[in-house]
Amino acid sequence: EVQLVESGGGLVQPGGSLRLSCAASGFTFSTYWITWARQAPGKGLEWVANIKQDGSEKNYVDSVKGRFTISRDNAKNSLYLQMNSLRAEDTAVYYCARSVEVCGHRCLYFDYWGQGTLVTVSS
Amino acid sequence: EIVLTQSPGTLSLSPGERATLSCRPSQSVSSTYLAWYQQKPGQAPRLLIYGASSRATGIPDRFSGSGSGTDFTLTISRLEPEDFAVYYCQQYGSSPLTFGGGTKVEIK
């Protein structure tokens, strides 16, 4: 059974940092693109970042470029999101999602999602 | 960036009725690279449809997707109690990947 379990969320002050983790099981982690997506309270879904199977390619939504860093450790079947210079508008539930590639990084849909971890940026 | 406009915002229907949800991209989506997801309160999204019309593993055949270019539709042929939820479309033919704003299907 495919499982994705996020952790690391919490309350952080504006300008602060947080590192999210996603532990994967039930599939060969190293053969999939993996994505972080988020959902602000009461709002819709937003793609945040994704990373290629071997970590050689990473892509970010413009609003987080230069502040967030996605990484993975295939030996540990784990995905990470280092979030720096956090802003109030980063408040959201963050999901990791297994991604099915059709034609490269811009052609990904998401077939399994974790339950999410809540990040709240507030003073 | 491709903006996906979903309509209606809310659909009020009774169990057993047919639901028709629309997703209209601001630009043509390449090669029917469009997916649909279902999300229930407090839960993660679940993939329903990919490639505009292919059902994901384990999805009942009352769910169907159709369309191309700038006009896509998700149809639920007969609503079951567990189908009342929010539905999102997502395009994956162009960067950045984008989602629609969602359609809530509620019990009338």
Side-chain angles (χ1 to χ4, degrees), chain A residues 35 37 39 43-47 50 61 95 100 102-103 105-116, chain B residues 30 33 35 37 39 42-47 50 57 88 90-101:
Chain A
T35 292
Q39 187 170 34
K43 302 297 184 183
L45 298 163
E46 180 184 35
W47 166 71
N50 55 35
V61 68
Y95 297 100
V100 178
V102 179
C103 66
H105 73 89
R106 64 179 175 86
C107 298
L108 301 174
Y109 65 91
F110 315 117
D111 63 347
Y112 289 94
W113 298 63
Q115 285 302 303
Chain B
S30 308
Y33 287 163
Y37 302 86
Q39 188 178 34
Q43 296 187 16
R46 178 174 73 144
L47 176 67
Y50 63 94
T57 303
Y88 295 96
Q90 177 234 334
Q91 67 81 22
Y92 53 101
S94 174
S95 182
L97 305 170
T98 51
F99 292 88

Side-chain angles (χ1 to χ4, degrees), chain B residues 28-95:
Chain B
S28 183
V29 171
S30 308
S31 305
T32 65
Y33 287 163
L34 190 111
W36 290 92
Y37 302 86
Q38 176 194 68
Q39 188 178 34
K40 298 178 181 179
Q43 296 187 16
R46 178 174 73 144
L47 176 67
L48 298 175
I49 301 286
Y50 63 94
S53 61
S54 297
R55 273 188 300 276
T57 303
I59 301 304
D61 60 7
R62 64 180 181 273
F63 291 91
S64 63
S66 63
S68 64
T70 58
D71 192 1
F72 295 85
T73 300
L74 174 70
T75 301
I76 311 170
S77 59
R78 293 173 310 279
L79 282 165
E80 298 288 340
E82 61 268 27
D83 299 337
F84 292 92
V86 179
Y87 293 83
Y88 295 96
C89 57
Q90 177 234 334
Q91 67 81 22
Y92 53 101
S94 174
S95 182

Side-chain angles (χ1 to χ4, degrees), chain A residues 90-105:
Chain A
D90 296 319
T91 294
V93 174
Y94 284 74
Y95 297 100
C96 63
R98 193 177 83 166
S99 310
V100 178
E101 176 191 1
V102 179
C103 66
H105 73 89

Side-chain angles (χ1 to χ4, degrees), chain A residues 1-102:
Chain A
E1 178 193 6
V2 173
Q3 284 199 320
L4 297 159
V5 179
E6 302 91 339
S7 61
L11 175 63
V12 60
Q13 292 189 339
S17 298
L18 213 53
R19 189 192 196 210
L20 306 183
S21 299
C22 171
S25 61
F27 66 102
T28 306
F29 182 73
S30 61
T31 64
Y32 284 88
W33 282 80
I34 307 291
T35 292
W36 285 104
R38 65 185 178 184
Q39 187 170 34
K43 302 297 184 183
L45 298 163
E46 180 184 35
W47 166 71
V48 174
N50 55 35
I51 186 167
K52 197 175 180 178
Q53 290 90 335
D54 61 0
S56 62
E57 186 176 343
K58 305 173 185 180
N59 302 283
Y60 301 91
V61 68
D62 283 348
S63 60
V64 309
K65 281 181 183 174
R67 300 189 299 124
F68 289 12
T69 302
I70 189 172
S71 62
R72 66 192 294 164
D73 185 337
N74 287 342
K76 294 183 178 179
N77 291 338
S78 293
L79 174 75
Y80 306 101
L81 187 67
Q82 178 65 43
M83 304 187 295
N84 299 330
S85 303
L86 282 160
R87 307 167 180 167
E89 53 265 36
D90 296 319
T91 294
V93 174
Y94 284 74
Y95 297 100
C96 63
R98 193 177 83 166
S99 310
V100 178
E101 176 191 1
V102 179

Side-chain angles (χ1 to χ4, degrees), chain B residues 10-23:
Chain B
T10 301
L11 200 50
S12 298
L13 295 168
S14 300
E17 290 194 293
R18 182 184 186 91
T20 303
L21 288 66
S22 174
C23 176

